[in-house]
């Protein structure tokens, strides 16, 4: 792999996405699975005359697990936290507390050297930011969402009183969060309000699943998954849930749309599949980092490829195409 081009990608992370300034305290949190990417990002931050610290820990067992206590303590002291990790710590208490303390956080889950060279990282973040923020406003203004798809999805989601979140790939202000390379708008549904059938036919980037070989169907009642069907992918999900004696793992935590034009298809890259343009996905598990009230020991997202999303009376996404820009 071309190290010069990798450093170009790392420069996008620290300049465009994080806006790192000289003298800022930058913490790069990583594990041995993603160490090469972490080193590139740390080197790029160091070239901006930031005070850079890199921590290495064992990969977490599940997405949503807490980092090591020593890492969590260091996160409270940083101006900027960048997390090239194998398992996401986005929905951890440590990340929430670091944001509350004023850190801006940039998540980079399962990022590869190749992703530093091409793909979604090279999106026009500033150009897409207004559309991402408008989508977040539309979420926040709506009382109800309805999602349908040709594969059989038909589900309603209560949103009244919840704020939409914009994650445009840019986090320049204190307490801001974004994930690369998503360009995503999302909202946390009101607990107990999601009901219907969801057929995921795109990808489940978490839990080592990736692009789906067969659809995964979930029945949802009063905000919680009551059944999951669909081959080995569904079995994997059921096994993970069975490992946790906690009803919170079934919680419908997040409704989101991917908006990165440089991610036109699902390809098995974690961040690409989250940001895949025109997908709708549900997050299941922790919602408290998104505006909800539930904290679970595990959190994962599951994607639909060609959904229609209606917010109150407005169709904002039709068969995977946005209607308002």
């Amino acid at each position: 792999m071309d190290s010069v081009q990798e450093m170009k990608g790392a420069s996008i992370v620290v300049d465009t996405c994080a806006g790192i300034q000289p003298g800022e305290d930058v913490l790069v949190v990583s594990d041995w699975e993603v160490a090469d990417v972490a080193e590139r990002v740390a080197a790029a931050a160091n070239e901006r005359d930031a005070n850079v610290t890199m921590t290495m820990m064992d990969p977490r067992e599940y997405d949503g697990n807490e980092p090591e206590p020593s890492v969590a303590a260091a996160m409270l002291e940083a101006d900027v936290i960048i997390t090239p990790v194998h398992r996401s710590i986005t929905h951890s208490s440590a990340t929430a507390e670091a944001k509350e303390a004023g850190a801006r956080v940039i998540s980079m889950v399962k990022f590869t050297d190749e992703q530093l060279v091409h793909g979604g990282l090279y999106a026009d973040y500033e150009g897409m930011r207004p559309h991402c923020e408008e989508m977040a406003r539309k979420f926040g203004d709506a009382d109800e969402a309805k999602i349908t798809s040709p594969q059989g999805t038909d589900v309603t989601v209560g949103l009244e009183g919840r704020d939409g979140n914009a994650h445009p790939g840019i986090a320049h202000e204190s307490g801001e969060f974004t994930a690369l390379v998503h360009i995503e708008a999302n909202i946390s549904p009101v607990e107990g309000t999601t009901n219907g059938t969801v057929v995921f036919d795109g990808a489940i980037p978490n839990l080592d699943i990736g692009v789906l070989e067969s659809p995964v169907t979930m029945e949802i009642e009063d905000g919680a998954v009551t059944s999951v069907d669909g081959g080995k992918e569904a079995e994997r999900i059921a096994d993970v849930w069975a490992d946790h004696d906690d009803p919170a793992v079934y919680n419908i935590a997040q409704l989101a749309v991917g908006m990165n034009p440089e991610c036109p298809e699902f390809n098995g890259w974690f961040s690409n599949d989250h940001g895949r343009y025109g997908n709708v996905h549900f997050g299941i598990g922790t919602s408290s980092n998104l505006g909800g009230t539930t904290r679970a020991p595990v959190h994962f997202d599951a994607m639909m490829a060609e959904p229609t999303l209606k917010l109150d009376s407005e169709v904002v996404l039709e068969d995977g195409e946005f209607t308002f820009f």
Side-chain angles (χ1 to χ4, degrees), residues 266-286:
F266 298 109
N267 67 1
W269 286 355
F270 183 97
S271 58
N272 175 95
D273 291 347
H274 277 83
R276 188 266 200 185
Y277 189 82
N279 91 78
V280 167
H281 55 275
F282 279 103
I284 304 170
T286 295

Side-chain angles (χ1 to χ4, degrees), residues 75-263:
M75 290 169 68
L76 292 174
E77 303 300 323
D79 298 312
V80 184
I81 302 166
I82 305 175
T83 63
V85 289
H86 184 65
R87 305 284 190 201
S88 172
I89 60 170
T90 294
H91 296 280
S92 66
S93 295
T95 296
E97 291 166 4
K99 287 168 54 185
E100 290 173 5
R104 54 193 194 272
V105 181
I106 294 87
S107 172
M108 299 176 67
V109 181
K110 287 188 176 178
F111 230 80
T112 66
D113 295 345
E114 188 176 0
Q115 285 180 272
L116 290 175
V117 174
H118 64 86
L121 184 60
Y122 289 81
D124 179 5
Y125 293 106
E126 288 291 353
M128 285 301 298
R129 186 174 190 169
H131 303 308
C132 186
E133 291 175 344
E134 183 179 2
M135 184 68 239
R137 285 193 296 270
K138 287 180 181 295
F139 271 140
D141 289 343
D143 291 335
E144 184 180 82
K146 184 175 179 63
I147 304 96
T148 58
S149 75
Q151 290 74 28
T153 294
D154 189 348
V155 61
T156 58
V157 182
L159 305 177
E160 186 174 4
R162 290 289 163 86
D163 293 328
N165 305 301
H167 296 161
I170 298 170
H172 290 181
E173 301 297 328
S174 176
E176 284 189 335
F177 168 87
T178 200
L180 303 180
V181 296
H182 300 189
I183 307 185
E184 172 185 303
N186 65 52
I187 192 167
S188 181
V190 177
E191 289 74 17
T193 65
T194 304
N195 289 280
T197 301
V198 184
V199 181
F200 299 109
D201 62 318
I204 298 177
N206 311 86
L207 311 182
D208 297 324
I209 293 176
V211 178
L212 293 173
E213 295 181 11
S214 58
V216 172
T217 300
M218 294 186 189
E219 298 294 335
I220 302 167
E221 295 180 11
D222 298 330
V225 179
T226 58
S227 68
V228 55
D229 297 288
K232 65 180 182 181
E233 295 95 342
E235 292 176 3
R236 168 64 174 158
I237 294 167
D239 288 343
V240 170
W241 282 339
D243 285 343
H244 298 87
D245 185 20
D246 189 335
V249 300
Y250 303 101
N251 176 58
I252 299 300
Q254 176 186 20
L255 172 63
V257 293
M259 305 183 71
N260 191 329
E262 298 302 318
C263 301

